[in-house]
Amino acid sequence: MKHLTILVPDGHNNLSSMVGSWKIFTRANQYWVKQGREPVFEVQLAGLSEAVELYDGLFTIKPHTAALKIKHTDLIIIPSLNHCFEETMALNQELADWIKWQYNQGAAVASICTGAFLLAATGLLDGKTCSTNWAVKDAFISMFPEVTLLPDRLITDEHNIYTNGGAFSFLNLIIYLIEKYYDRPTAIYCAKVFQIDIGRSSQSPFIIFTGQKDHDDEAVKKAQDMMEANPGERIAIGKLATQVAVSRRNFDRRFIKATGNTPLEYWQRVKIEVAKKAFENTVKTISEVMYEVGYSDEKAFREIFRKITGLSPLDYRGRYHKNVMAG
């Protein structure tokens, strides 16, 4: 039997990501037992402390064992650290060292949501790809520039290291791991029991674009403000550069350095975010919304919308329009 360690770090953690992981793997084991097969994993919660209080003492979780006492494990799951990842990372340096040691002994490691920060602190993600909650993208890139962040990806799988996007998308990661360590029928069974939409690969439809202004380039900020104030305009990028008194070549370079996007990519994201809100809250047609955000070619608009959100305009409206949500 393999060994699965679900970590309970000291500090701020997300209870659901630990309990959810434990429940689904336990159910997968039970499914195999009913079929006359041996359970795949011994599942244990492990941490540095005998008990960890969560949500200002509302809940207390008591791990089965101390992580540092575990000499061998086959799979480690790092839970979400909520949005207090810097404090939690500082409290768990011993745990980070233990994760790295176990990985070098052959263990696979999976991080949930902001658990990617603790995983990245081990150095194991250097030179690799990673996903995490889209809302903390800028903080992650700033802290771990040697890691290639893929903020739209729901799951990454590279060299026995798995990461996933934000919040309850961890359920998709757990189903992915169930299929990898058990089999496809078991993954489908667990997906049906826990009503998880199997096969999702992107968190793009859930991303809320709020701009990337955590930088000190005032010319770029001025250009961003102009884009966001006039989403329906068709301002040429060259003209925008002139209006902020920067040459086109330098403008592109500075914009990418400041925001991580080219000016055109940023301009498209601004327009599509406005279009998303229109589809969520109004009954305007696709053509009306398209014209309002400065597009005249419906094919081009549909392609850019799908590229950014992962859905067609029609599918997005069908999923998120207020009348659909109310129904």
Side-chain angles (χ1 to χ4, degrees):
M1 187 186 302
K2 297 181 184 295
H3 186 272
L4 165 61
T5 304
I6 300 172
L7 292 181
V8 185
D10 286 346
H12 298 271
N13 303 304
N14 184 284
L15 181 63
S16 62
S17 61
M18 291 181 277
V19 174
S21 300
W22 178 81
K23 288 190 70 172
I24 297 173
F25 272 99
T26 299
R27 181 60 67 91
N29 275 343
Q30 292 170 350
Y31 181 69
W32 273 44
V33 169
K34 287 182 178 179
Q35 295 180 326
R37 294 186 283 182
E38 291 294 319
V40 172
F41 281 108
E42 176 190 4
V43 184
Q44 285 191 312
L45 275 67
L48 297 175
S49 302
E50 292 185 0
V52 176
E53 289 190 349
L54 305 174
Y55 306 107
D56 297 321
L58 184 61
F59 300 105
T60 300
I61 189 164
K62 298 179 180 180
H64 295 110
T65 186
L68 302 186
K69 291 182 179 179
I70 298 174
K71 301 303 180 185
H72 172 79
T73 191
D74 296 283
L75 175 61
I76 300 166
I77 294 179
I78 306 171
S80 168
L81 310 181
N82 286 336
H83 287 250
C84 303
F85 39 83
E86 291 188 76
E87 178 185 340
T88 306
M89 286 163 58
L91 291 171
N92 290 279
Q93 185 57 54
E94 282 187 297
L95 208 53
D97 294 340
W98 178 84
I99 292 167
K100 185 174 183 178
W101 183 83
Q102 288 286 356
Y103 178 78
N104 290 333
Q105 301 304 307
V109 184
S111 68
I112 291 171
C113 191
T114 51
F117 283 82
L118 183 57
L119 176 56
T122 68
L124 293 175
L125 283 175
D126 290 358
K128 298 183 180 69
T129 58
C130 169
S131 184
T132 188
N133 192 316
W134 59 264
V136 296
K137 178 188 72 170
D138 293 342
F140 188 93
I141 291 172
S142 175
M143 293 177 68
F144 303 106
E146 51 287 300
V147 182
T148 301
L149 184 66
L150 304 176
D152 62 325
R153 288 277 287 276
L154 198 70
I155 297 170
T156 65
D157 176 346
E158 190 173 355
H159 301 297
N160 272 346
I161 294 178
Y162 311 93
T163 67
N164 94 285
F168 284 90
S169 71
F170 83 87
L171 297 169
N172 297 92
L173 172 64
I174 301 305
I175 293 298
Y176 183 85
L177 294 172
I178 293 293
E179 180 170 357
K180 207 167 190 78
Y181 283 94
Y182 293 76
D183 54 24
R184 178 71 174 178
T186 306
I188 293 173
Y189 168 78
C190 289
K192 289 182 176 180
V193 168
F194 292 98
Q195 299 189 37
I196 301 167
D197 184 11
I198 195 168
R200 269 184 57 209
S201 61
S202 174
Q203 58 177 338
S204 293
F206 304 97
I207 293 175
I208 302 172
F209 183 67
T210 57
Q212 297 135 317
K213 296 182 179 177
D214 188 18
H215 60 82
D216 299 319
D217 193 320
E218 294 303 321
V220 171
K221 283 184 180 178
K222 183 178 179 181
Q224 290 174 278
D225 290 341
M226 291 171 65
M227 291 178 180
E228 292 163 16
N230 303 282
E233 297 295 323
R234 301 176 188 175
I235 305 173
I237 301 300
K239 183 178 180 181
L240 195 62
T242 300
Q243 289 178 317
V244 296
V246 178
S247 71
R248 174 61 194 272
R249 184 176 179 181
N250 283 336
F251 180 66
D252 287 357
R253 178 183 58 78
R254 286 168 61 173
F255 205 101
I256 293 169
K257 182 179 179 181
T259 70
N261 290 130
T262 66
L264 180 59
E265 288 169 342
Y266 193 92
W267 194 215
Q268 289 172 340
R269 291 178 70 91
V270 168
K271 290 173 177 289
I272 297 305
E273 191 63 26
V274 173
K276 284 164 59 180
K277 288 181 170 57
F279 290 136
E280 292 166 11
N281 299 303
T282 75
V283 294
K284 293 176 182 177
T285 67
I286 291 173
S287 293
E288 287 175 324
V289 173
M290 174 188 75
Y291 287 121
E292 285 188 1
V293 296
Y295 287 93
S296 57
D297 184 330
E298 188 167 323
K299 182 180 178 183
F301 174 69
R302 290 176 186 275
E303 288 177 353
I304 292 168
F305 193 95
R306 183 182 289 278
K307 178 183 176 182
I308 291 175
T309 69
L311 298 171
S312 71
L314 191 61
D315 288 341
Y316 189 90
R317 161 167 279 160
R319 182 177 294 190
Y320 293 113
H321 188 266
K322 60 180 181 179
N323 289 341
V324 175
M325 303 294 284

